[in-house]
Amino acid sequence: SEFQELGVDVEVTEIPMEVAALIYGATLAEDGSIAYKTGDAAPDVGVGFYTTKMVKKDGVTNKYFQGVVYPSLKGSRQGATYNTKGQSITFANGKAHFVGKASANGVFQAFSDNFTTEAEAIAWLEEKLPLNA
């Protein structure tokens, strides 16, 4: 059995409209609003982020930054939950689902080494996206 695809679920507090239009294949209007249409088709996109982690070595704990890249994902909206309580609304985080495949070079996920600064992790991400180019 060979690699076919992977699923990546993300819980988000906010996706900027221009990013949502890009990852979901939606229409971004001149006024900044977004419209989802029946003919929308999500493109293959590279998605990356960095995380912080604490690493203890020789009795000393240091903070590091590590980049994570998925070079080829297709996004689909999972919607947001709006819970009402009387006359107010409680917003829950929205969810996005991505289905990924390996890029032309066989990579479906990549991790950076540990960086000591956030700027180094961001620079690594900018260098790696897209991996399938």
mmCIF file of all heavy atoms in Angstrom, residues 51-57 62-67 111-118 120-121 124:
data_model
loop_
_atom_site.group_PDB
_atom_site.id
_atom_site.type_symbol
_atom_site.label_atom_id
_atom_site.label_comp_id
_atom_site.label_asym_id
_atom_site.label_seq_id
_atom_site.Cartn_x
_atom_site.Cartn_y
_atom_site.Cartn_z
ATOM 1 N N THR A 51 5.719 26.677 15.576
ATOM 2 C CA THR A 51 5.274 26.438 16.934
ATOM 3 C C THR A 51 6.433 26.713 17.882
ATOM 4 O O THR A 51 7.592 26.704 17.469
ATOM 5 C CB THR A 51 4.762 24.992 17.104
ATOM 6 O OG1 THR A 51 4.245 24.823 18.427
ATOM 7 C CG2 THR A 51 5.859 23.979 16.860
ATOM 8 N N THR A 52 6.111 26.991 19.115
ATOM 9 C CA THR A 52 7.162 27.152 20.114
ATOM 10 C C THR A 52 7.214 25.892 20.961
ATOM 11 O O THR A 52 6.200 25.214 21.154
ATOM 12 C CB THR A 52 6.906 28.369 21.023
ATOM 13 O OG1 THR A 52 5.642 28.218 21.659
ATOM 14 C CG2 THR A 52 6.928 29.650 20.228
ATOM 15 N N LYS A 53 8.395 25.589 21.438
ATOM 16 C CA LYS A 53 8.538 24.433 22.311
ATOM 17 C C LYS A 53 9.661 24.671 23.299
ATOM 18 O O LYS A 53 10.607 25.412 23.010
ATOM 19 C CB LYS A 53 8.747 23.159 21.511
ATOM 20 C CG LYS A 53 9.937 23.141 20.607
ATOM 21 C CD LYS A 53 9.877 21.899 19.720
ATOM 22 C CE LYS A 53 11.208 21.413 19.286
ATOM 23 N NZ LYS A 53 11.145 20.177 18.529
ATOM 24 N N MET A 54 9.519 24.079 24.433
ATOM 25 C CA MET A 54 10.524 24.184 25.484
ATOM 26 C C MET A 54 11.310 22.875 25.493
ATOM 27 O O MET A 54 10.725 21.798 25.582
ATOM 28 C CB MET A 54 9.855 24.428 26.838
ATOM 29 C CG MET A 54 8.962 25.668 26.882
ATOM 30 S SD MET A 54 9.787 27.203 26.448
ATOM 31 C CE MET A 54 10.782 27.459 27.884
ATOM 32 N N VAL A 55 12.631 22.981 25.389
ATOM 33 C CA VAL A 55 13.494 21.807 25.350
ATOM 34 C C VAL A 55 14.472 21.887 26.517
ATOM 35 O O VAL A 55 15.184 22.890 26.675
ATOM 36 C CB VAL A 55 14.268 21.728 24.015
ATOM 37 C CG1 VAL A 55 15.211 20.541 24.017
ATOM 38 C CG2 VAL A 55 13.291 21.645 22.848
ATOM 39 N N LYS A 56 14.498 20.804 27.309
ATOM 40 C CA LYS A 56 15.405 20.744 28.450
ATOM 41 C C LYS A 56 16.616 19.907 28.067
ATOM 42 O O LYS A 56 16.484 18.765 27.625
ATOM 43 C CB LYS A 56 14.704 20.137 29.663
ATOM 44 C CG LYS A 56 15.505 20.198 30.931
ATOM 45 C CD LYS A 56 14.683 19.750 32.123
ATOM 46 C CE LYS A 56 15.466 19.948 33.392
ATOM 47 N NZ LYS A 56 14.644 19.613 34.572
ATOM 48 N N LYS A 57 17.790 20.501 28.204
ATOM 49 C CA LYS A 57 19.035 19.807 27.888
ATOM 50 C C LYS A 57 20.069 20.178 28.942
ATOM 51 O O LYS A 57 20.284 21.366 29.204
ATOM 52 C CB LYS A 57 19.524 20.184 26.489
ATOM 53 C CG LYS A 57 20.763 19.442 26.054
ATOM 54 C CD LYS A 57 21.143 19.806 24.633
ATOM 55 C CE LYS A 57 22.395 19.048 24.231
ATOM 56 N NZ LYS A 57 22.821 19.390 22.879
ATOM 57 N N ASN A 62 15.312 25.683 27.393
ATOM 58 C CA ASN A 62 15.358 26.787 26.431
ATOM 59 C C ASN A 62 14.126 26.762 25.541
ATOM 60 O O ASN A 62 13.586 25.693 25.248
ATOM 61 C CB ASN A 62 16.612 26.695 25.558
ATOM 62 C CG ASN A 62 17.873 26.978 26.350
ATOM 63 O OD1 ASN A 62 17.994 28.020 26.969
ATOM 64 N ND2 ASN A 62 18.794 26.036 26.340
ATOM 65 N N LYS A 63 13.733 27.939 25.089
ATOM 66 C CA LYS A 63 12.607 28.071 24.181
ATOM 67 C C LYS A 63 13.118 28.048 22.748
ATOM 68 O O LYS A 63 14.075 28.743 22.414
ATOM 69 C CB LYS A 63 11.868 29.387 24.443
ATOM 70 C CG LYS A 63 10.641 29.610 23.582
ATOM 71 C CD LYS A 63 9.970 30.908 23.975
ATOM 72 C CE LYS A 63 8.709 31.148 23.193
ATOM 73 N NZ LYS A 63 8.027 32.378 23.620
ATOM 74 N N TYR A 64 12.447 27.246 21.914
ATOM 75 C CA TYR A 64 12.807 27.142 20.506
ATOM 76 C C TYR A 64 11.574 27.326 19.641
ATOM 77 O O TYR A 64 10.440 27.205 20.101
ATOM 78 C CB TYR A 64 13.426 25.766 20.199
ATOM 79 C CG TYR A 64 14.768 25.554 20.847
ATOM 80 C CD1 TYR A 64 14.892 24.823 22.013
ATOM 81 C CD2 TYR A 64 15.919 26.092 20.280
ATOM 82 C CE1 TYR A 64 16.123 24.632 22.615
ATOM 83 C CE2 TYR A 64 17.162 25.904 20.866
ATOM 84 C CZ TYR A 64 17.257 25.179 22.029
ATOM 85 O OH TYR A 64 18.488 24.988 22.616
ATOM 86 N N PHE A 65 11.815 27.587 18.364
ATOM 87 C CA PHE A 65 10.765 27.742 17.370
ATOM 88 C C PHE A 65 10.989 26.708 16.285
ATOM 89 O O PHE A 65 12.118 26.530 15.817
ATOM 90 C CB PHE A 65 10.816 29.154 16.768
ATOM 91 C CG PHE A 65 10.641 30.236 17.796
ATOM 92 C CD1 PHE A 65 11.730 30.714 18.504
ATOM 93 C CD2 PHE A 65 9.389 30.761 18.060
ATOM 94 C CE1 PHE A 65 11.577 31.708 19.462
ATOM 95 C CE2 PHE A 65 9.220 31.750 19.014
ATOM 96 C CZ PHE A 65 10.318 32.226 19.724
ATOM 97 N N GLN A 66 9.921 26.019 15.884
ATOM 98 C CA GLN A 66 10.043 24.996 14.847
ATOM 99 C C GLN A 66 8.981 25.220 13.786
ATOM 100 O O GLN A 66 7.802 25.401 14.086
ATOM 101 C CB GLN A 66 9.878 23.601 15.432
ATOM 102 C CG GLN A 66 10.094 22.504 14.406
ATOM 103 C CD GLN A 66 10.017 21.113 15.002
ATOM 104 O OE1 GLN A 66 9.120 20.826 15.773
ATOM 105 N NE2 GLN A 66 10.963 20.265 14.635
ATOM 106 N N GLY A 67 9.418 25.208 12.521
ATOM 107 C CA GLY A 67 8.509 25.368 11.399
ATOM 108 C C GLY A 67 7.942 24.028 10.960
ATOM 109 O O GLY A 67 8.608 23.001 11.049
ATOM 110 N N PHE A 111 9.477 19.364 8.656
ATOM 111 C CA PHE A 111 9.742 20.057 9.917
ATOM 112 C C PHE A 111 11.122 20.701 9.857
ATOM 113 O O PHE A 111 12.061 20.106 9.340
ATOM 114 C CB PHE A 111 9.729 19.080 11.099
ATOM 115 C CG PHE A 111 8.413 18.437 11.346
ATOM 116 C CD1 PHE A 111 8.089 17.240 10.723
ATOM 117 C CD2 PHE A 111 7.495 19.003 12.212
ATOM 118 C CE1 PHE A 111 6.873 16.624 10.949
ATOM 119 C CE2 PHE A 111 6.278 18.394 12.441
ATOM 120 C CZ PHE A 111 5.960 17.209 11.810
ATOM 121 N N SER A 112 11.240 21.877 10.420
ATOM 122 C CA SER A 112 12.550 22.520 10.515
ATOM 123 C C SER A 112 13.283 21.991 11.732
ATOM 124 O O SER A 112 12.700 21.316 12.589
ATOM 125 C CB SER A 112 12.390 24.038 10.644
ATOM 126 O OG SER A 112 11.941 24.383 11.955
ATOM 127 N N ASP A 113 14.547 22.353 11.818
ATOM 128 C CA ASP A 113 15.306 22.144 13.037
ATOM 129 C C ASP A 113 14.781 23.146 14.072
ATOM 130 O O ASP A 113 13.939 23.996 13.748
ATOM 131 C CB ASP A 113 16.787 22.382 12.745
ATOM 132 C CG ASP A 113 17.694 21.801 13.822
ATOM 133 O OD1 ASP A 113 17.187 21.198 14.791
ATOM 134 O OD2 ASP A 113 18.919 21.951 13.699
ATOM 135 N N ASN A 114 15.270 23.095 15.275
ATOM 136 C CA ASN A 114 14.894 24.075 16.290
ATOM 137 C C ASN A 114 15.655 25.370 16.052
ATOM 138 O O ASN A 114 16.878 25.362 15.914
ATOM 139 C CB ASN A 114 15.214 23.555 17.690
ATOM 140 C CG ASN A 114 14.341 22.387 18.080
ATOM 141 O OD1 ASN A 114 13.218 22.264 17.607
ATOM 142 N ND2 ASN A 114 14.842 21.530 18.940
ATOM 143 N N PHE A 115 14.918 26.474 15.989
ATOM 144 C CA PHE A 115 15.526 27.794 15.843
ATOM 145 C C PHE A 115 15.446 28.526 17.170
ATOM 146 O O PHE A 115 14.501 28.333 17.946
ATOM 147 C CB PHE A 115 14.802 28.618 14.775
ATOM 148 C CG PHE A 115 14.906 28.043 13.394
ATOM 149 C CD1 PHE A 115 13.798 27.504 12.765
ATOM 150 C CD2 PHE A 115 16.121 28.041 12.714
ATOM 151 C CE1 PHE A 115 13.892 26.977 11.485
ATOM 152 C CE2 PHE A 115 16.226 27.517 11.432
ATOM 153 C CZ PHE A 115 15.110 26.985 10.820
ATOM 154 N N THR A 116 16.410 29.408 17.405
ATOM 155 C CA THR A 116 16.403 30.156 18.660
ATOM 156 C C THR A 116 15.565 31.427 18.575
ATOM 157 O O THR A 116 15.226 32.000 19.605
ATOM 158 C CB THR A 116 17.847 30.520 19.092
ATOM 159 O OG1 THR A 116 18.479 31.231 18.031
ATOM 160 C CG2 THR A 116 18.646 29.268 19.434
ATOM 161 N N THR A 117 15.223 31.858 17.335
ATOM 162 C CA THR A 117 14.399 33.065 17.195
ATOM 163 C C THR A 117 13.186 32.796 16.297
ATOM 164 O O THR A 117 13.226 31.938 15.412
ATOM 165 C CB THR A 117 15.190 34.240 16.583
ATOM 166 O OG1 THR A 117 15.502 33.942 15.221
ATOM 167 C CG2 THR A 117 16.459 34.528 17.371
ATOM 168 N N GLU A 118 12.166 33.563 16.540
ATOM 169 C CA GLU A 118 10.954 33.498 15.724
ATOM 170 C C GLU A 118 11.264 33.890 14.283
ATOM 171 O O GLU A 118 10.756 33.285 13.338
ATOM 172 C CB GLU A 118 9.916 34.431 16.341
ATOM 173 C CG GLU A 118 8.595 34.468 15.644
ATOM 174 C CD GLU A 118 7.625 35.414 16.325
ATOM 175 O OE1 GLU A 118 8.043 36.384 16.988
ATOM 176 O OE2 GLU A 118 6.411 35.186 16.176
ATOM 177 N N GLU A 120 13.930 33.405 12.544
ATOM 178 C CA GLU A 120 14.552 32.292 11.824
ATOM 179 C C GLU A 120 13.503 31.288 11.351
ATOM 180 O O GLU A 120 13.586 30.766 10.235
ATOM 181 C CB GLU A 120 15.572 31.580 12.701
ATOM 182 C CG GLU A 120 16.815 32.372 13.001
ATOM 183 C CD GLU A 120 17.703 31.669 14.005
ATOM 184 O OE1 GLU A 120 17.223 31.380 15.127
ATOM 185 O OE2 GLU A 120 18.875 31.400 13.672
ATOM 186 N N ALA A 121 12.517 31.013 12.198
ATOM 187 C CA ALA A 121 11.445 30.081 11.825
ATOM 188 C C ALA A 121 10.621 30.646 10.671
ATOM 189 O O ALA A 121 10.272 29.919 9.734
ATOM 190 C CB ALA A 121 10.554 29.781 13.031
ATOM 191 N N TRP A 124 12.563 30.358 7.454
ATOM 192 C CA TRP A 124 12.549 28.968 6.976
ATOM 193 C C TRP A 124 11.243 28.683 6.245
ATOM 194 O O TRP A 124 11.241 28.089 5.166
ATOM 195 C CB TRP A 124 12.750 28.006 8.137
ATOM 196 C CG TRP A 124 12.785 26.574 7.732
ATOM 197 C CD1 TRP A 124 13.879 25.867 7.309
ATOM 198 C CD2 TRP A 124 11.690 25.648 7.705
ATOM 199 N NE1 TRP A 124 13.533 24.570 7.016
ATOM 200 C CE2 TRP A 124 12.193 24.408 7.253
ATOM 201 C CE3 TRP A 124 10.337 25.747 8.019
ATOM 202 C CZ2 TRP A 124 11.388 23.279 7.116
ATOM 203 C CZ3 TRP A 124 9.535 24.627 7.879
ATOM 204 C CH2 TRP A 124 10.063 23.415 7.428
#
